Amino acid sequence: MEPIRVVLVDDHPVVRRGLRSLLESLPGFTVVGEAADGIAGVREVQLTRPDVVLMDIRMPSLDGLEATRAIRSAAPSVAVLMLTMLDEDDAVFAAMRAGARGYLLKGAEQQEIDRAIRAVAAGEAIFSPGVALRVINHFSGAASASAQPEPFPELTAREREILDLVAAGLRNAAIAERLFLSQKTVANHLSSIFAKLSVDGRHQAIIRARDEGLGRP
């Protein structure tokens, strides 16, 4: 099979080098271009016609949202996957309206980036797990003003997701596989969860979580 052709658009050269190195270490990808801002990104897509663009949002000259609109207009077959630090509902929905097929947060594990690029190249939509949960809640109406507040507001979306899986009886290895994370990352999240909930360990965290309705099918 032909490799998936990727263009990297990010104003931080260190990020671009890291992504290039990551993708070149994986089978089935080739990086055909890079750009440091939205204007150069649109031009690079027009020149190289990649399969997927990894796009940051906050960039000089032309931000990632406007660049995505321009790419979708000029080359509608090209899939745009947002890779950003912005973990905000407004940014997620703005990216969707601009035509992005996916939304990942920087810091995603290698397996998650690999899977996401392949998914959007195949025409699927994909989001980081915490982002996906908020998208589902938004469109199902669960995030309406009348909805019950989420339990444990002191936790991040990813921490709440991991706590839910712990309460459902999953061990660290199974959680890591489910969320495309390393076991070390899961363990670090659990340490943060225990500290924020002021519990001594996994057993007490499970009791607290189940009392709030987490861990149910």
Side-chain angles (χ1 to χ4, degrees):
M1 295 178 62
E2 291 292 325
I4 296 173
R5 294 160 48 82
V6 181
V7 163
L8 308 175
V9 185
D10 195 295
D11 60 327
H12 293 94
V14 172
V15 173
R16 296 199 306 275
R17 284 197 297 270
L19 288 171
R20 177 181 280 274
S21 177
L22 184 152
L23 294 178
E24 289 177 345
S25 72
L26 297 172
F29 298 109
T30 182
V31 177
V32 297
E34 296 183 21
D37 60 60
I39 292 174
V42 174
R43 183 168 59 247
E44 196 67 30
V45 167
Q46 292 172 329
L47 289 173
T48 62
R49 294 289 169 163
D51 301 301
V52 176
V53 179
L54 281 184
M55 178 80 74
D56 193 10
I57 290 183
R58 287 180 175 166
M59 293 183 294
S61 302
L62 189 73
D63 68 27
L65 300 175
E66 292 300 327
T68 297
R69 290 189 184 92
I71 289 169
R72 296 294 296 154
S73 176
S77 64
V78 176
V80 178
L81 173 61
M82 293 298 188
L83 184 62
T84 177
M85 293 291 293
L86 294 178
D87 186 12
E88 303 167 1
D89 289 355
D90 288 348
V92 174
F93 298 128
M96 294 170 62
R97 289 192 295 269
R101 286 190 193 164
Y103 197 102
L104 287 187
L105 300 178
K106 287 181 177 177
E109 299 287 333
Q110 175 177 300
Q111 305 98 312
E112 191 175 355
I113 294 173
D114 183 337
R115 177 173 175 267
I117 295 174
R118 296 182 191 279
V120 298
E124 301 174 25
I126 192 162
F127 303 90
S128 288
V131 172
L133 182 61
R134 297 206 306 275
V135 171
I136 292 170
N137 286 342
H138 176 81
F139 287 107
S140 67
S144 65
S146 60
Q148 291 294 321
E150 286 187 313
F152 309 117
E154 64 269 34
L155 302 182
T156 66
R158 175 53 64 87
E159 288 170 347
R160 194 176 299 108
E161 184 176 29
I162 289 174
L163 179 60
D164 185 42
L165 295 175
V166 168
L170 274 67
R171 307 303 299 177
N172 287 14
I175 294 171
E177 183 177 359
R178 176 81 64 90
L179 300 182
F180 299 97
L181 302 173
S182 68
Q183 291 190 49
K184 181 179 179 181
T185 298
V186 173
N188 289 340
H189 279 303
L190 284 174
S191 295
S192 176
I193 290 168
F194 298 159
K196 289 180 179 180
L197 298 186
S198 300
V199 296
D200 291 334
R202 197 182 197 96
H203 180 67
Q204 287 188 13
I206 289 174
I207 293 173
R208 289 280 308 279
R210 289 181 177 173
D211 285 345
E212 294 292 336
L214 298 184
R216 297 174 181 172

